[in-house]
Amino acid sequence: NSAKIIGEHTELHAQGYFVYDSKKSGAVTVSHLRFGARPIRSTYLIQKASFVACHQFGFLERMDVLGCCEEGATFLLNSPHGPDEVWERLPLKVQRQIIEKELKFYVIDGYHVAEKAGMGTRINTIMQTCFFAISGVLPREEAIEKIKGAIKKTYGRKGDAIVQMNFAAVDSSP
């Protein structure tokens, strides 16, 4: 949905390229979202990222999440640990990468926001809202309007209760 929102509602060209794990439960999906002023004419995995989001804290122990970050990139982490305690909980390698690459580091407890909105552990909409808030690709209110439009389109057939839960999650995201 983020690639669609950027491609359809900005002057930017956008492309989403996704790498899926073969397992269903606990599987890893790596999303490569590229956008810019010039047309994107080929597909390839991003080697140097300016924005990286990690939706599961445990991935920091299992893989090199920040290896592709360019210097000064933005790192958004979903964490059960709040801003006052998250640093001590990060693996040392991750701490070093944040410091050495001078990353802008943001943290949210997406699971807490999802739970309060009645969505269980579904955090994609929350993380998407954070991406748009941090990246500035669209003005905040316009981004929220477009995210809610995508929610209606994606989940509308599942009923108004699902749509409203997602809206609540968007509205509760920082």
Side-chain angles (χ1 to χ4, degrees):
N1 280 337
S2 296
K4 282 183 184 178
I5 290 169
I6 293 168
E8 293 173 3
H9 301 288
T10 72
E11 296 295 318
L12 301 173
H13 299 273
Q15 177 187 72
Y17 194 74
F18 308 94
V19 179
Y20 300 97
D21 195 330
S22 61
K23 296 181 289 183
K24 289 219 181 230
S25 180
V28 175
T29 300
V30 179
S31 303
H32 295 257
L33 175 59
R34 299 168 49 215
F35 55 90
R38 289 180 278 145
I40 300 168
R41 303 207 187 275
S42 65
T43 59
Y44 57 86
L45 301 179
I46 294 172
Q47 302 299 313
K48 291 291 181 187
S50 60
F51 190 106
V52 171
C54 179
H55 292 213
Q56 294 185 38
F57 192 86
F59 288 168
L60 297 176
E61 292 284 352
R62 295 178 20 206
M63 57 191 66
D64 184 10
V65 173
L66 301 179
C68 66
C69 284
E70 63 187 18
E71 189 169 322
T74 299
F75 174 40
L76 169 62
L77 176 64
N78 176 43
S79 170
H81 312 292
D84 295 335
E85 62 179 292
V86 70
W87 187 258
E88 299 93 49
R89 305 291 186 128
L90 294 174
L92 288 177
K93 178 180 179 178
V94 173
Q95 290 178 358
R96 271 195 300 284
Q97 287 174 307
I98 291 170
I99 293 168
E100 289 170 4
K101 294 182 179 191
E102 299 180 5
L103 303 182
K104 296 178 229 44
F105 180 38
Y106 296 85
V107 65
I108 183 171
D109 186 346
Y111 292 123
H112 179 72
V113 174
E115 182 67 33
K116 283 177 47 181
M119 294 179 52
T121 58
R122 293 176 200 87
I123 63 165
N124 285 347
T125 301
I126 296 154
M127 296 299 283
Q128 179 185 44
T129 304
C130 292
F131 162 74
F132 277 104
I134 294 167
S135 70
V137 174
L138 285 170
R140 181 175 173 76
E141 292 307 314
E142 184 179 349
I144 288 172
E145 174 190 327
K146 302 306 180 197
I147 291 167
K148 287 183 176 182
I151 289 168
K152 281 184 190 175
K153 196 173 196 177
T154 304
Y155 301 113
R157 70 185 182 287
K158 294 185 178 190
D160 193 55
I162 301 296
V163 170
Q164 293 307 316
M165 278 191 282
N166 276 274
F167 283 6
V170 168
D171 292 339
S172 297
S173 300

